[in-house]
Amino acid sequence: MDYKSTLNLPKTDFPMKANLPQREPELLASWAKERLYEQIQEAGKGRPLYVLHDGPPYANGRIHIGHALNKILKDIIVKSKTMAGYQVPYVPGWDCHGLPIEHQVLKELGDKKKMLDTPAIRKLCREYAEKFFAIQREEFQRLGILGDWQHPYLTMNPGYEATIIREFGKFVERGGVYKGLKPVLWCTADQTALAEAEVEYEDHTSPSIYVKFPLVTSPTVLSQTFPGISFPLGIKLVSVVIWTTTPWTLPANQAVCLHGEIDYAFVQVGDEVLIVAEKLLESVTKACKLEGARVFGVKKGREGFEGIETQRPLTTGLSPILLGDFVTLDQGTGCVHIAPGHGMEDYILVLEYNATASPGERLEILAPVDNAGRFTDVVKEFAGQHVLKANPKIVEFLQSNGRLLGQGSLNHSYPHCWRCKNPVIFRATEQWFVSMETNDLRKEALAEIGRVQWIPAYGRDRINGMIENRPDWCLSRQRVWGVPIPGFTCQGCRSVLADPIVIEHIATLMESKGADVWFERSAAELLPKGTTCPKCGWSAFEKERDILDVWF
């Protein structure tokens, strides 16, 4: 019996079978033929404007479920606001520069990349971005998303690149850009500086070591430096004990830091005296397996320690004891080894010290590590070794010369590169920065955050905290696929030339020739005729090799 004929169903022209594989392309073709998006925009003229600012995807592969979720949700907003009576243009775009594209191109090239110059690599990156922009555009349209697909914005278009240069010029004109030697997050795999936003924190196991920094002052003199403390007879060595999870930074040590208000214990262990924070003595004794430790005196950091010199454990030279408020009692010894080439707090402390020190006493911003994260010849014992892989050998060296007091390991949250997923390091290099304080940039940004409606509301607190605490923005990247930093270095006095008039000249060039012109021409060909150094009058320059952070 045919039961279907017995069912009381409504009469409809809709087919019972969706037949989507055939219907979907027909529907999309119909929308394109009718110019549906253009008709909607035409009908919406004169209505209140609603603009969705769509962050562009990278043009570096086929779309995935994350792309689909992102674009479909935004398309729902565009279409619903259109039906609610607004004019809602949607201009799609693609981020065509950056490391993801360059990394993939270099990966496909393999050893052939060594035979190619920068313009050749850039050409391949451009072709790669063009290929996947076209693929993604078609795939996004297959999702049923309406937009101005024939006129997207691409960050590698000459007009867009010129605009980026002009925006950089605005920062320069206001005095907010500078080039300086500072420790920055550095990816040794991709060999480039990273911004805070390009770092993810993952679990990582690091060595945990306690190291002695012997004081060069004799116990007799120390008894006068610390009134009320009598050093026991027969003491051969007095040392400040530091704790670190980065043994590889010890070759760059320049100082030791104590906190002025922390109480430090003088601890006798055999014929040695160790100086550690009194509140951390129990944990240090346990970690270093110290037997018979006896406290015979306590002094605050500000009571005589400042200026005393210590012997560096891995290199020649002396490290003075400085005072700093960033020292804590969370873990360690309350005494911090200072390597200004590998830490921002260390760097700031040393800058403050050098500001009042005589030329012969100033400390060095030392970072004896190359772009690939290997020790340079400055560190003879470990030259050529990757710093993280050299950690065990450094610990062995400290043990052999009697400077290692204790060791273990620590599993903790550690910064990793968000692209290659490898651990990163802090490394002092010359980079371009935007100052967060000049022109009250930080203050203005925080004020704008307060004017925005955040959904969900806790997003405001998150970004507010990021802006409040973020360091100066590191703009430079040591790559080739991107918009160049339009700066020059004088060959006469080595001063940096970043002039708004010159930058506008470069932007005009790029508007007609594209950013590739920077890499194809010499500094003399790029600069306006007659350009001279404002400091020394020299007319020979070197052009900047770095590119701008893609987020700029």
Side-chain angles (χ1 to χ4, degrees), residues 161-355:
E161 292 172 330
T163 299
I164 292 172
I165 293 295
R166 289 192 172 104
E167 292 301 315
F168 175 79
K170 290 178 183 178
F171 278 87
V172 171
E173 193 167 19
R174 296 181 67 197
V177 175
Y178 67 95
K179 188 178 185 182
L181 179 69
K182 291 176 69 173
V184 294
L185 289 160
W186 185 272
C187 178
T188 61
D190 293 324
Q191 298 189 27
T192 185
L194 300 175
E196 294 283 340
E198 296 174 303
V199 169
E200 297 173 340
Y201 284 82
E202 305 288 347
D203 286 343
H204 181 75
T205 301
S206 298
S208 167
I209 63 171
Y210 296 81
V211 183
K212 293 184 285 188
F213 278 66
L215 276 58
V216 298
T217 311
S218 68
T220 304
V221 175
L222 288 173
S223 295
Q224 299 171 4
T225 305
F226 300 104
I229 294 182
S230 299
F231 284 78
L233 295 175
I235 293 300
K236 295 182 178 179
L237 195 68
V238 180
S239 303
V240 172
V241 180
I242 68 95
W243 172 77
T244 183
T245 58
T246 54
W248 65 269
T249 63
L250 285 167
N253 174 268
Q254 295 291 300
V256 176
C257 186
L258 278 59
H259 194 293
E261 298 305 318
I262 288 178
D263 291 320
Y264 290 91
F266 292 76
V267 187
Q268 182 182 6
V269 181
D271 59 359
E272 288 188 63
V273 170
L274 306 175
I275 299 171
V276 298
E278 185 181 29
K279 288 187 177 179
L280 293 170
L281 177 58
E282 185 178 345
S283 63
V284 174
T285 301
K286 183 178 179 180
C288 299
K289 300 180 175 61
L290 302 179
E291 295 182 2
R294 180 181 72 86
V295 177
F296 64 89
V298 175
K299 288 286 182 182
K300 288 190 180 297
R302 57 178 165 77
E303 297 178 321
F305 285 103
E306 190 172 17
I308 294 177
E309 292 185 321
T310 67
Q311 295 175 357
R312 295 170 185 166
L314 280 180
T315 59
T316 57
L318 302 177
S319 290
I321 295 177
L322 309 178
L323 300 181
D325 292 338
F326 58 84
V327 179
T328 69
L329 295 172
D330 295 340
Q331 54 190 159
T333 66
C335 310
V336 178
H337 117 76
I338 299 299
H342 296 301
M344 185 54 68
E345 289 175 325
D346 303 30
Y347 172 81
I348 293 170
L349 181 70
V350 167
L351 283 191
E352 292 173 351
Y353 172 83
N354 286 349

Side-chain angles (χ1 to χ4, degrees), residues 51-57 70-71 74-75 78 90-94 140 145 149 153:
V51 179
L52 174 77
H53 293 286
D54 184 14
N70 181 295
K71 284 289 185 285
K74 290 172 180 174
D75 188 54
V78 169
Y90 173 59
V91 181
W94 276 266
F140 284 141
I145 295 163
W149 295 108
Y153 71 89

Side-chain angles (χ1 to χ4, degrees), residues 402-472:
R403 296 290 183 259
L404 186 70
L405 186 65
Q407 64 173 307
S409 61
L410 179 72
N411 188 263
H412 60 143
S413 181
Y414 188 87
H416 288 65
C417 174
W418 75 325
R419 294 187 181 100
C420 69
K421 309 302 180 185
N422 286 305
V424 302
I425 63 173
F426 265 99
R427 172 177 177 247
T429 56
E430 278 209 333
Q431 303 288 342
W432 290 79
F433 298 90
V434 166
S435 169
M436 291 297 292
E437 308 305 333
T438 303
N439 304 313
D440 289 327
L441 181 58
R442 189 189 308 276
K443 185 178 177 181
E444 287 186 13
L446 291 171
E448 289 299 316
I449 287 170
R451 293 178 59 244
V452 173
Q453 180 188 1
W454 295 88
I455 303 172
Y458 62 74
R460 179 192 179 280
D461 296 332
R462 184 180 178 190
I463 195 167
N464 203 78
M466 287 171 63
I467 299 299
E468 272 185 330
N469 301 309
R470 76 163 294 152
D472 289 350

